[in-house]
Amino acid sequence: MFEFIRSHRRWMQLILLLLIVPSFFLVGIQGYDSFMRAEPELATVAGQPVSRAEFDQAHRNQLEQFRQRLGAQFDPAVIDTPALREGLLNQLINQRLLANVAIDNRFSVSDETLRNTIAAIPEVQDNGRFSPERYRQVLAAQGMSPTSFEAGLRRDLAVARVLEPVGQSARAPAEVVASLETALTQMRTVQLRRFAAADFRSQVSVSPADIQAWYDANKQQLQIPEQVQVQYVVLDEAAATQGVQVKDEDLAAYYEQNKNRFGQPERRRASHIMIELAPGASEEARKAARAKAEDLARQAAADPAQFAELARKNSQDAGSAANGGDLGWLAPGMLSGPLEKAIFGQTKDQVSGVIESPSGLHIVKVTEIQPAAIKPLAEVKDQIVGEVRKQVAAVRFSEMASQLNKQVYDQRDSLQPAADTVGLKLRTASGVTREGLLPADKVGPGSAADSPDAALLDNPRVRQVLFSPDVLREKQNSGVIELSPDTMLAVRVAAVDPAHVPPLDKVSESIRAKLVDERSAEAAKKAGEAALAEDKANPAAAPEGFSAPLTVSRQDPKDLPRLVLDAVMRLPASTLPAYTGVQSGADYTLVRLEKVEAGKVDPADKERLAQQLSGAWGQAENEALIRMLREEYKVQVLPAAAEVIRGDQPAAG
């Protein structure tokens, strides 16, 4: 056969051309290009790939969620870590894994379960009941149809059933619950003896040679990173409202145009009798409910004074029946449809006919009416002044922002012309590094850390701009940085101070203080350990220097530092008194354990503890099941996954 191909090469080329060319018209050259450059696979689940494209989309969505949650403080360098990317990849793998398990084991969800799940979503409820109209509106706002949403939800519910039995059946062993219960509630009576480092400071000496030796050995710790002195202008609401005056005639005009906002609308107090009527009720049930409602409406209309008693005996609205059907004070817009129309269309003490709503059948009576009231101008003057100033400021802010955007580029080597044109103050601050603001004591006067604008200058976006090549090296103006809708600033690097180790004379006092702290803490520890050895050698002797007895538990630590409390609770109680010592901060604390008692546990607290432990136990069992399923479904994490976890960019195609 191969000999035939070699002998008839031109014929074979023609045949291949006839086979290949039509397929270009069917799938397009783009399709071949995509085929030849297949999307990298990060993992496989039962042979099915998890692609780089899937990961990238999920990664973008995740970062956008962080961006929306953190706002101006969002810093990808801090958030987007290898640990976060690895966790996201594992989520994608586990989702694919559980979907396969659900399909293979024919997990399904009934129509009733799907309906109940949707009806329980608060966003699609109206007055606590499922609203088909609101359901369609919410989905339309998300660009989804009921069919696609329900298919996705059904699939998600089916996948959730894979792990559901594990979580529901998980129970922490009784001995584990009992052990933790004892650890949490056990009460221990102790005496403490504190050896404070401050008491030993006078015994510590630090020579110039000590300071020099520490300086020579720890220069790396003393290094001050590259920092910049910043010139900047801030455009915010305060700048836009500066000098804004509101005239009395403007106040009066604004008041007249917005009178309805400066008062209380008409309010009505109403009571109702409700007869339940399910949306899918049969015709027979509907007739029976309506007959009952109409009979009650006739009784109420005949004797309105008995309305409350009729409501107490007959209303099926559990929330209001006991109060005679009282719905409280209602304003326009609090109810919907025919109920609101009836309440705000009746006179006082008038009884309505039968009104149907999604929740059932109602008979309504208006019990009180409070007319609308408008506050006088003098009472709302300060509020109007603030609102008018904000409106004027919004216009000025927009104009000033446009001017600032233009001016920072007109003269790139100075912000002063932009500040003068827009009417802003040119400000200066020092000590801004790539990682944050240096402490004020390392910078001196004019430090950014001590500035009222510290939060603005420490914003990750501002620091990123300051250390960009044009701004850092060329000392050009930045563009306008919008940190929020009402806060913008432009920055310029006035000076750069390279990374350096300060000379000894600048840091000798801080080194001296550090060495004194370290040596006094060591002296306190040495004295405490000596006292501990004496007490252990003669435990029956009367304790000297200890505080009054103190009873503590993990639930009631009596302000003990965490390290001291842990030492107290870990002490063996087989032989009492027992002694131990612990360093807490610079101080050393000697502990004498005198008595151990079992704590009392409220049955409700015991049940809550068991539930919490069972939840944690169930989570551990879920993780164990996923590990087992990963083996069964031959999950493989491929070499390309290491690149996305490191954050490497994909090669250009």
Side-chain angles (χ1 to χ4, degrees), residues 545-600:
F546 283 84
S547 66
L550 184 70
T551 301
V552 299
S553 69
R554 290 200 178 274
Q555 292 181 309
D556 184 17
K558 297 289 196 307
D559 297 327
L560 288 189
R562 177 62 181 271
L563 290 174
V564 175
L565 179 66
D566 287 345
V568 168
M569 302 310 294
R570 282 199 301 262
L571 257 176
S574 53
T575 303
L576 297 179
Y579 291 88
T580 190
V582 60
Q583 184 125 25
S584 176
D587 302 335
Y588 189 86
T589 302
L590 207 57
V591 176
R592 182 178 190 268
L593 176 62
E594 296 182 344
K595 185 167 62 174
V596 176
E597 299 174 280
K600 296 180 180 179

Side-chain angles (χ1 to χ4, degrees), residues 175-197:
E175 57 270 24
V176 173
V177 176
S179 176
L180 281 172
E181 177 190 315
T182 299
L184 288 171
T185 61
Q186 188 182 76
M187 297 184 296
R188 294 189 165 207
T189 302
V190 296
Q191 289 180 282
L192 306 175
R193 183 179 178 186
R194 182 164 166 259
F195 292 82

Side-chain angles (χ1 to χ4, degrees), residues 248-479:
D248 288 343
E249 54 266 31
D250 294 333
L251 289 178
Y254 188 89
Y255 175 76
E256 289 299 326
Q257 293 168 6
N258 297 275
K259 258 189 177 180
N260 290 338
R261 292 182 45 237
F262 302 116
Q264 178 177 287
E266 179 185 348
R267 298 196 308 164
R268 294 188 170 210
R269 189 162 192 163
S271 299
H272 81 146
I273 301 170
M274 187 188 87
I275 303 302
E276 289 183 343
L277 180 60
S282 66
E283 188 62 29
E284 183 179 349
R286 293 182 68 84
K287 286 180 179 179
R290 181 162 288 277
K292 183 175 182 179
E294 288 176 348
D295 180 54
L296 289 168
R298 282 192 294 271
Q299 295 180 54
D303 188 2
Q306 295 299 313
F307 190 95
E309 189 61 29
L310 286 171
R312 272 189 283 270
K313 291 180 178 178
N314 300 282
S315 181
Q316 294 172 345
D317 178 11
S320 67
N323 297 321
D326 183 29
L327 295 171
W329 285 102
L330 303 168
M334 291 178 65
L335 298 175
S336 61
L339 268 181
E340 179 168 303
K341 185 176 179 181
I343 290 172
F344 285 90
Q346 294 178 197
T347 58
K348 185 172 180 290
D349 294 329
Q350 181 183 351
V351 176
S352 73
V354 177
I355 303 163
E356 184 169 348
S357 81
S359 57
L361 302 175
H362 309 259
I363 303 100
V364 173
K365 176 187 173 186
V366 175
T367 55
E368 292 183 65
I369 298 177
Q370 190 177 78
I374 304 296
K375 295 178 183 177
L377 173 58
E379 194 174 328
V380 295
K381 182 177 179 179
D382 291 343
Q383 178 185 346
I384 294 176
V385 169
E387 291 181 6
V388 173
R389 281 172 61 88
K390 281 192 173 184
Q391 288 185 1
V392 175
V395 175
R396 287 189 63 189
F397 186 91
S398 179
E399 294 171 350
M400 294 170 76
S402 297
Q403 286 181 314
L404 184 61
N405 263 309
K406 179 178 181 298
Q407 290 296 325
V408 293
Y409 291 109
D410 281 355
Q411 186 173 337
R412 296 297 305 275
D413 60 352
S414 175
L415 277 175
Q416 190 66 59
D420 294 341
T421 301
V422 183
L424 299 173
K425 180 183 177 182
L426 184 63
R427 313 178 195 185
T428 303
S430 301
V432 182
T433 75
R434 295 176 191 269
E435 289 75 31
L437 308 183
L438 288 176
D441 59 355
K442 290 188 177 182
V443 180
S447 75
D450 268 356
S451 164
D453 303 316
L456 299 180
L457 297 173
D458 196 28
N459 185 282
R461 288 177 58 199
V462 174
R463 288 187 277 110
Q464 185 179 19
V465 169
L466 280 169
F467 286 89
S468 62
D470 286 351
V471 178
L472 179 65
R473 303 303 173 202
E474 304 300 327
K475 295 185 173 57
Q476 294 184 351
N477 297 340
S478 73

Side-chain angles (χ1 to χ4, degrees), residues 64-175:
E64 183 57 32
Q65 289 174 0
F66 278 114
R67 189 190 308 279
Q68 293 176 2
R69 191 183 313 156
L70 299 176
Q73 293 302 314
F74 174 72
D75 185 355
V78 174
I79 299 295
D80 191 17
T81 61
L84 179 134
R85 292 188 289 271
E86 184 175 15
L88 177 60
L89 178 58
N90 278 318
Q91 286 180 31
L92 293 176
I93 292 171
N94 291 343
Q95 287 170 4
R96 180 70 55 81
L97 172 67
L98 295 176
N100 281 352
V101 175
I103 292 169
D104 291 349
N105 291 275
R106 294 181 173 82
F107 284 109
S108 62
V109 174
S110 68
D111 292 342
E112 182 182 3
T113 299
L114 183 64
R115 282 196 301 270
N116 291 341
T117 302
I118 294 173
I121 300 173
E123 289 78 8
V124 301
Q125 293 177 349
D126 188 4
N127 290 326
R129 288 180 174 270
F130 173 71
S131 168
E133 182 181 355
R134 188 166 180 79
Y135 175 53
R136 288 190 292 270
Q137 290 173 349
V138 170
L139 291 184
Q142 300 294 324
M144 301 177 69
S145 69
T147 302
S148 62
F149 173 74
E150 288 163 16
L153 181 59
R154 190 187 293 273
R155 181 181 62 249
D156 292 343
L157 291 172
V159 169
R161 291 191 61 192
V162 175
L163 297 178
E164 186 179 42
V166 178
Q168 290 179 342
S169 62
R171 293 290 182 274
E175 57 270 24

